[in-house]
Amino acid sequence: MKDEMKDGYDIKKFEEVVGESSMMIPDSKRRLNENIESLRLFLDTASGLHKDSNLYAQAQEFIQTIPEEKVMAETLVEDDAEVF
């Protein structure tokens, strides 16, 4: 934006939004990790859950995709940080 000679007020507001957004990332990562672990623990210990049910299978499939999605999300965040 600075290279494009945008209005100073717009640049300042944009930088504020970027700063606020970047402060939310660590908390979002922490909450994501806590909830992933909570789901894993629930699936491991839930006595009334039928392990051959469709819902259980979907939850297990979801859990297995999480590491890949976390890596993708972290890469996107790092890529965005390089813009500034």
Side-chain angles (χ1 to χ4, degrees):
M1 287 183 82
K2 291 178 183 178
D3 293 340
E4 297 172 1
M5 303 295 285
K6 296 287 183 177
D7 182 52
Y9 176 80
D10 290 340
I11 293 171
K12 182 180 176 186
K13 282 298 179 187
F14 184 77
E15 288 173 343
E16 288 176 13
V17 170
V18 169
E20 291 170 3
S21 298
S22 66
M23 289 188 296
M24 290 187 292
I25 293 170
D27 182 55
S28 296
K29 285 182 181 180
R30 179 190 55 77
R31 289 184 294 123
L32 174 64
N33 289 330
E34 287 174 359
N35 287 305
I36 290 169
E37 189 56 35
S38 177
L39 178 58
R40 283 190 176 126
L41 182 61
F42 174 76
L43 291 174
D44 290 343
T45 61
S47 60
L49 197 60
H50 296 284
K51 302 220 185 261
D52 59 343
S53 74
N54 188 33
L55 185 59
Y56 181 83
Q58 288 175 343
Q60 286 291 354
E61 183 179 324
F62 175 74
I63 286 288
Q64 291 175 1
T65 64
I66 290 172
E68 182 179 307
E69 291 173 357
K70 282 178 55 178
V71 168
M72 185 186 314
E74 289 174 1
T75 301
L76 290 173
V77 170
E78 290 169 4
D79 289 347
D80 286 345
E82 292 174 8
V83 171
F84 310 103

